[in-house]
Structures are given as structure tokens and as C-alpha cells.
Amino acid sequence: MINLVRNEMLKLLRKKRLYVIVLIIAFLVPLFTYAQFKEIQDQREKLGNQDWRTVLQQEITDTQNRLSSSRIQDEWRKYLKIRLSQQQYYLENDIDPRAPGAPTFMRIFVENSIDLLLPLLVMVIVADLVSSEASGGTIKLLLTRPVKRWRILLSKYLAMLLSVSFIVLSVAVLSYGISGVVFGYGGWNMPLLTGFSVSGDELITDNVHIVPQWQYILMEFGLVWYVCVIVGTLTFMLSVLLRSTAAVMGIMLASLIAGAILANMVSSWESAKYFFMVNLNLTNYVSGMATPIEGMSLGFSMSVLAVWGIAGFIIAFVTFSKRDIY
Amino acid sequence: MSQSPALEVENLTKRIKGKQIIKGVSFTLFPGEVFGFLGPNGAGKTTTIRMIVGLISPTSGTIKIGGRNVRTDFTEAMRHLGCIVENPELYPFLTGWENLEHFAKMDPSIPKSRLQEVITLVGLSNRIHDRVSTYSLGMRQRLGIAQALLGRPKVLILDEPTNGLDPAGIREMREFIRQLAREENLSVLVSSHLLSEIQLMCDRVAIISKGSVIRTDSVQNLLAEQERVIWKAEPLPLAKQLLSEETEVTEGADGTLITLYNEPLLPDWNEKLVKGGVKVKEMRTQLPSLEDLFLEVTGGESID
Ligand SMILES: Nc1ncnc2c1ncn2[C@@H]1O[C@H](COP(=O)(O)OP(=O)(O)O)[C@@H](O)[C@H]1O
Ligand SMILES: [Mg+2]
């Protein structure tokens, strides 16, 4: 089995996809670093040399003002209220939520890329893992070896897991390494709040507790990895089912983008919460953001993703072991 | 041929989308023989081969490679098999060496030294470390055979191996296949839609048409039966009249007469012509075309 996985990794490396992914990340991180840097600078300029508490107070007032406007939608109002109570909590407990530093950047970067950017990168790697063997005809040589079909597919699945882990690790290393040049590398121990949950309009703070940022980041990266594995598994299944890599990418791309759109507008269509693509934003549960649909929680979203992942895994293996190869 | 068979195919059938593509194919390959699988395009050669190598599952029938059932004992059966189905499709982004290494790693019983052996055998040593995307079709074909030979198989299956090769390449391939059968005691199954190819490299042949094997025989028997004699003689009408008293005569396109080849009687026919005052200018034997063979064995049914 180790030899089989090695073969798959060799093919992956030779196709240069992983390098491209690393290049994309290495290109995007400085871009966002600069954006973040600009934002901080902008705020500083606007507010003079004020203390962050004053800034946070300002934001709170800002939110309150917006809340008092009568022309805002219910959804938006709900979100603002939650945000407000969270901001107030930070202020009361003397925690600067936006203290600059590479770990903070890493955290923000990963929170923003969990539902679209990272799944897209995973998709680019995984989409042709099986379909390219079928369209290139090499599957005929691969499946006429003295190795059972499920073992060959398993080696590909393990190669997928390794690649996904590599992508997540690259994001961590690159976002930390590159942004640190601008923001400095400190801030691992900054205290952060987690354990928020939302029930109706209320931000429930019963379980809120303080964790050091490194622990918080570790937690988020775990969730990111989980999401990437699920997206990888589903792409993998499509790659088994379809001969055309373009079709695999098309379907995944459409679902992921649909997920991003749905997450913003489905609050009244309750059963939409069973779609995997609406449940990708797991880090939101950690930071205490509003959920797209009521009744969603970290446990719920993880279970929905697990069900989709397991189903995809089973479909992939059953089809691959039985299918006629023309 | 008292040895145990290397490949046994029995009553193989395949239905695809309600259509019966293969209708009960049976044949047996013995060690050291080159077996031809001859039939026009669309006859079902590739479909049969895909079933033998385990790429598609038969609707019914059994396949045994080296005595092992492909369905119930897949890995053991595959240990005795090397194949190229249709085109030799290898990984274009890897070098020839890496391709071989890739497939060798999939079978732990293949020692590393075997790579160099098969490379030398197919004569690819010069270019083995170049990417396959830079290879010519002939080189890909040879690399394909090299990967098929990695596991020292008992049975080698080649689906239209000379397709797309130039005449020199075809001859080279033919000699190589014969050499493999002779020196390595390998059974080779070669499919083709060209009789000329099959007759030059095979010992026995199965003729397949519309999913059924309509005849299995040694190449010699099959051809001898159908071999013709072309006569050039003057005057033509007299020659035709005299010959038709002895055997069936047809007129060729270019002023020739065609009769069956009947070795013991041929001198007598010739004598009769000469005595009857006919000048026999030329007598030559001609092998039948695949079309002729088909007309004969299918009893007048055309090949498409
Ligand atoms: N996947 C398929 N679906 C439907 N029909 C097929 C399929 N593959 C092959 N056939 C049909 O089976 C017949 C035999 O095809 P094939 O085995 O490729 O012939 P050959 O290799 O002798 O040229 C053809 O008539 C072809 O149309
Ligand atoms: Mg064919």
C-alpha cells in the first residue's frame, strides 16, 4: 500500500498541480497582507493616535447607530445585534480583537478562505485524480495489475488526504511567514473568546471562555482541514463517476459558489441547511458569527458534512470496484 | 499440446445496454503459441479482450489465466498476465523509466533488476529517461510491451499491436512477438483485422464476426483450404473450357483464370492444358483475402 500511495504522490507532483497551488497562496497572502495593512493604517489615520479601546467604543456606537435606523432588514439587524454584544464583551473584558500580528492575520485569512478559496484549491488538486486516468486510458494498465481495485482507489484516496493536508499546512506556513514580515511574528498568546452560540436573536455567552490565540488557531485549522477533507472526498467521488475532469470541476465549482450565495439568502428555506455547501463555514461557530439558517450549530454542520463525506466515499468505492472500464 | 493451457475462455457472453455484443466465445491458448484473433472492426475483439483482462465483467462464461479464474481469483490470475488494450497509453508526463517503475512497484514480486531486462528486451535503452510525451508511436508500443512483460507473464495479450505502425515497425513487431513466444515460452494473443498480419505471425487463429467465433484452426489449414491458383494462359477461352472440365474456374479481372489450389492435381491440369494446345505463361498461388475467407466460412455473408 505504501508503494501505491508513493506512485500516486509521484504522479501528483509530476503534474505540478501542488506547485501551482502553493504559488496561488504565495501570491494571495501578500495581497491580503497589504489590504489588512492598509486597513489598519487607514483606521489609525482616521482616529489619530487613539487607543484601540476608543476605536472599539467607536465601532460599538457605530453599530448602535445603524441598529437604530428603521430602514434596515430584519436579518441584518439580527446580525448587528449579535456583533454588538460580542464587541461589548470584548471591551468589558479588555481584549483587543484586532491586535495585529502574524497569528491574527493567519486566523483572519483562514476564516475568510474556509468556505470558498480553500475548497477551490482542494478541488483543483483532486478533480482529476481518477478521471484523468480514465480519460488518458492509463486506467487500463492500472487495473490490470495483480492488485484489487479497491486498494488502488484507496491509495488514491490517501494521496488525496496527504495533498489536502499539504494545502492546509501551506496556507498556515505561508500566511504566517509572509504576513509576519509586515505585522511581526508575535501574538500567539493573545487571549481570544470562543464558545459563543446563537439561539434566535440572542448571542448566548454562557459557554464563552478565553483561550490563547494559538489554541484558537489550532482549533480553526482543525476545522479547515475537516472541511477540506469533505470537499476533497466529494470531488474524489465525482472524479470516479465522471470521465471528464472539466465536468468534475464544473459541478464542484457550481456547488461551492451556490453554497456561498445560498448562505447569504436562505434563512427562510430551512431544509437548505442539509446541503453540504451551506455548512462549510465552520470557523464562524468558533468566532460566534450568525448562522445562515436557524438551528445550525457546529455539531449539526459537522454531522451534515460527515454524512455527505461518508456517502461520497462509499459511492466512490462501490462504483469503482464494480464498474466496467471501456 | 499436452501442456496445460495458459488461457482458457469458455462460453463468454457480454450484453451492453440490452445489446448482445459477445455471443458465446470460447478458445484456448497453449504455452509458446501465438494465437490470432481475427475479425473486422466492430466484431467484438476488444470487448472480449477487456473481459479477459478484467476491465469489464462478463455477463456469463469463465476465463482462466494460468488456471486461475479471473473473476474469483483476480490477483493471482493477473500475476500471469501482461496486456495492452487498444492504444499503449502511458503517463506522458513521466519518463519511460518512471512509467515502468510505477507499474513494477504495484507488484512486489517484481525485482528491481527486471526493469533493465525488459528495457533491453524491447530496445529502448537510449531514450528510457526521456518523457513519454516525446516518444513516437512505435516507442510507446515498445514501452507498452515492456510494462506488460514486467511480471514475467505466461500470457501476453496485444490488441491490434501493429495499428498505426509503419511497414518497418510492423515487421519488427511481428518478429519480436514470434521471438517472445519462442524464447520465453509465452502464449501471445494478438488481435487484428488484417489477415496478412495474422498469417505471418500466428500459429492458430480464431475468426470472430459479430460477436461469435465462427472458426478456430491452424493458420496453415485455414489458408491451404482457401489458397487459389492464378493462371495466365492463351488462348483464354480454350484454357477456361479445359480447366472447367476439371474444377471450378472463375475469371480474374486482368485476363487471368482462378482455380482452387489442389496440390496433387495441379500438374495434371497443367498437362491437360499444354496437350490441348494452350500456352501456359504463368501459374502462381495466391492467399485469399480476409474477405474471401469470410465469404467462405460465413457462407456468403458479408463482413459488415
Ligand atoms: N461501451 C459500449 N457500449 C455499447 N456498445 C459497445 C460498447 N463498446 C463496444 N460496443 C459495440 O460492441 C461491438 C464490438 O466492439 P469492439 O469489441 O470494440 O470491436 P473490435 O475491437 O473487434 O473492433 C461494436 O459493435 C461496438 O459498437
Ligand atoms: Mg478493437
Side-chain angles (χ1 to χ4, degrees):
Chain A
M1 189 47 97
I2 287 175
N3 273 339
L4 295 183
V5 177
R6 257 193 217 152
N7 274 345
E8 294 309 322
M9 288 315 286
L10 172 77
K11 286 185 272 185
L12 256 168
L13 288 177
R14 279 309 152 85
K15 281 196 272 193
K16 306 239 159 58
R17 287 283 170 81
L18 283 173
Y19 304 128
V20 174
I21 297 293
V22 171
L23 278 179
I24 292 176
I25 300 171
F27 175 77
L28 287 179
V29 168
L31 212 70
F32 293 139
T33 307
Y34 184 70
Q36 176 93 1
F37 176 70
K38 269 302 215 196
E39 200 188 313
I40 294 170
Q41 216 178 27
D42 229 37
Q43 279 174 358
R44 289 232 175 95
E45 251 166 49
K46 234 191 277 173
L47 307 162
N49 270 335
Q50 284 169 322
D51 186 44
W52 66 266
R53 287 174 200 82
T54 330
V55 178
L56 193 58
Q57 186 56 61
Q58 191 77 37
E59 279 179 15
I60 291 172
T61 324
D62 211 44
T63 317
Q64 280 165 338
N65 286 343
R66 277 199 280 175
L67 269 169
S68 57
S69 156
S70 57
R71 273 178 301 140
I72 62 171
Q73 285 176 342
D74 275 358
E75 323 259 296
W76 189 233
R77 182 187 302 277
K78 180 172 134 194
Y79 168 76
L80 286 179
K81 271 188 192 158
I82 294 167
R83 197 84 198 124
L84 184 66
S85 44
Q86 201 181 345
Q87 283 166 339
Q88 278 164 340
Y89 200 102
Y90 277 132
L91 192 64
E92 280 156 25
N93 290 279
D94 204 26
I95 294 167
D96 180 358
R98 266 195 231 119
T104 308
F105 176 84
M106 226 169 132
R107 178 169 57 81
I108 293 170
F109 183 72
V110 84
E111 281 170 2
N112 285 299
S113 50
I114 187 171
D115 59 341
L116 198 57
L117 178 63
L118 279 169
L120 285 179
L121 297 182
V122 167
M123 179 195 84
V124 168
I125 292 282
V126 183
D128 75 338
L129 220 53
V130 185
S131 62
S132 69
E133 303 265 8
S135 56
T138 44
I139 195 157
K140 291 181 291 186
L141 295 182
L142 205 58
L143 296 188
T144 49
R145 304 283 135 189
V147 183
K148 290 223 165 68
R149 282 194 188 181
W150 67 263
R151 288 174 67 91
I152 290 173
L153 196 64
L154 185 61
S155 71
K156 283 190 175 289
Y157 190 81
L158 292 177
M160 184 278 278
L161 288 184
L162 283 175
S163 317
V164 163
S165 310
F166 175 78
I167 294 176
V168 173
L169 198 70
S170 308
V171 166
V173 170
L174 287 173
S175 61
Y176 180 67
I178 296 176
S179 69
V181 176
V182 179
F183 301 127
Y185 294 97
W188 286 109
N189 287 318
M190 188 178 94
L192 288 177
L193 296 179
T194 186
F196 298 101
S197 55
V198 183
S199 164
D201 278 3
E202 300 242 336
L203 181 72
I204 299 173
T205 47
D206 294 354
N207 295 320
V208 168
H209 53 281
I210 291 176
V211 295
Q213 177 150 269
W214 64 266
Q215 204 175 324
Y216 191 98
I217 289 175
L218 213 61
M219 208 151 64
E220 292 203 329
F221 268 90
L223 294 175
V224 163
W225 185 82
Y226 181 78
V227 165
C228 287
V229 166
I230 299 292
V231 171
T233 306
L234 291 172
T235 315
F236 189 79
M237 174 197 75
L238 287 176
S239 188
V240 168
L241 295 180
L242 303 168
R243 236 180 129 101
S244 147
T245 305
V248 176
M249 287 209 185
I251 293 176
M252 276 319 280
L253 197 65
S255 337
L256 290 172
I257 290 175
I261 297 172
L262 280 175
N264 288 322
M265 54 188 257
V266 288
S267 57
S268 44
W269 176 22
E270 211 193 311
S271 42
K273 67 184 176 188
Y274 297 108
F275 284 131
F276 80 91
M277 56 269 200
V278 180
N279 288 288
L280 295 179
N281 224 324
L282 294 184
T283 48
N284 272 358
Y285 298 114
V286 181
S287 54
M289 304 270 267
T291 58
I293 300 169
E294 253 191 71
M296 285 167 72
S297 65
L298 182 59
F300 172 83
S301 284
M302 287 185 78
S303 317
V304 168
L305 290 179
V307 168
W308 278 80
I310 292 168
F313 186 88
I314 292 172
I315 292 173
F317 275 79
V318 169
T319 341
F320 192 78
S321 313
K322 294 199 169 154
R323 189 176 47 184
D324 281 356
I325 311 279
Y326 293 107
Chain B
M1 296 230 196
S2 55
Q3 295 155 291
S4 61
L7 171 68
E8 285 173 278
V9 174
E10 230 183 282
N11 273 324
L12 207 57
T13 67
K14 179 69 183 176
R15 251 178 123 68
I16 302 175
K17 294 181 202 116
K19 203 170 150 233
Q20 196 76 26
I21 307 273
I22 303 296
K23 306 159 185 165
V25 163
S26 307
F27 57 87
T28 306
L29 258 76
F30 294 95
E33 85 170 331
V34 182
F35 188 89
F37 203 38
L38 179 64
N41 286 324
K45 303 182 295 292
T46 302
T47 308
T48 306
I49 287 175
R50 281 180 195 273
M51 287 192 274
I52 297 174
V53 302
L55 287 177
I56 65 183
S57 50
T59 306
S60 71
T62 52
I63 301 156
K64 283 183 186 166
I65 303 174
R68 308 285 191 144
N69 191 317
V70 172
R71 254 177 152 174
T72 55
D73 201 0
F74 180 78
T75 39
E76 274 309 310
M78 286 301 124
R79 250 182 240 292
H80 302 304
L81 177 90
C83 65
I84 306 178
V85 181
E86 295 194 309
N87 308 312
E89 284 143 329
L90 293 126
Y91 298 104
F93 49 87
L94 299 181
T95 66
W97 178 271
E98 284 168 335
N99 265 286
L100 291 180
E101 211 173 24
H102 173 275
F103 292 117
K105 270 195 209 152
M106 296 182 72
D107 183 352
S109 69
I110 299 173
K112 194 128 202 224
S113 58
R114 181 69 182 155
L115 262 73
Q116 201 53 58
E117 282 172 32
V118 293
I119 292 165
T120 316
L121 199 62
V122 299
L124 261 182
S125 306
N126 294 336
R127 297 283 310 277
I128 198 63
H129 291 292
D130 292 352
R131 275 171 178 239
V132 169
S133 53
T134 67
Y135 282 19
S136 69
L137 179 64
M139 294 169 68
R140 281 176 210 209
Q141 195 69 264
R142 277 188 276 168
L143 187 60
I145 293 185
Q147 67 76 28
L149 293 175
L150 276 172
R152 293 184 187 282
K154 288 181 180 156
V155 180
L156 180 64
I157 296 184
L158 305 173
D159 190 14
E160 313 240 8
T162 55
N163 237 3
L165 295 184
D166 58 14
I170 292 177
R171 165 178 296 183
E172 204 177 285
M173 178 66 63
R174 203 153 61 206
E175 275 156 18
F176 186 61
I177 289 171
R178 288 245 52 114
Q179 179 198 340
L180 283 176
R182 199 171 52 234
E183 291 171 9
E184 320 254 319
N185 202 33
L186 210 64
S187 311
V188 190
L189 175 68
V190 186
S191 83
S192 176
H193 63 280
L194 298 171
L195 179 65
S196 55
E197 229 161 55
I198 294 288
Q199 83 188 48
L200 285 170
M201 67 180 146
C202 298
D203 305 303
R204 287 196 307 140
V205 59
I207 298 177
I208 179 171
S209 168
K210 293 176 184 163
S212 312
V213 170
I214 48 183
R215 180 90 180 258
T216 308
D217 210 336
S218 76
V219 173
Q220 271 161 336
N221 283 348
L222 208 61
L223 293 181
E225 215 171 88
Q226 295 294 316
E227 213 167 355
R228 316 284 161 124
V229 185
I230 313 287
W231 304 78
K232 260 192 185 163
E234 263 173 20
L236 198 66
L238 179 60
K240 188 176 177 183
Q241 188 207 324
L242 290 172
L243 277 176
S244 56
E245 288 165 13
E246 303 294 326
T247 177
E248 197 180 313
V249 185
T250 51
E251 233 169 293
D254 45 350
T256 56
L257 295 173
I258 304 169
T259 64
L260 279 179
Y261 176 71
N262 192 334
E263 206 185 337
L265 289 178
L266 205 58
D268 298 347
W269 296 350
N270 186 33
E271 198 183 336
K272 179 168 177 174
L273 285 179
V274 173
K275 280 188 176 160
V278 174
K279 287 181 183 159
V280 178
K281 292 181 165 172
E282 190 182 327
M283 274 166 71
R284 63 189 156 89
T285 57
Q286 191 188 50
L287 290 170
S289 66
L290 178 60
E291 227 143 324
D292 295 334
L293 250 183
F294 261 86
L295 283 174
E296 185 64 28
V297 288
T298 60
E301 213 179 321
S302 80
I303 60 173
D304 42 24

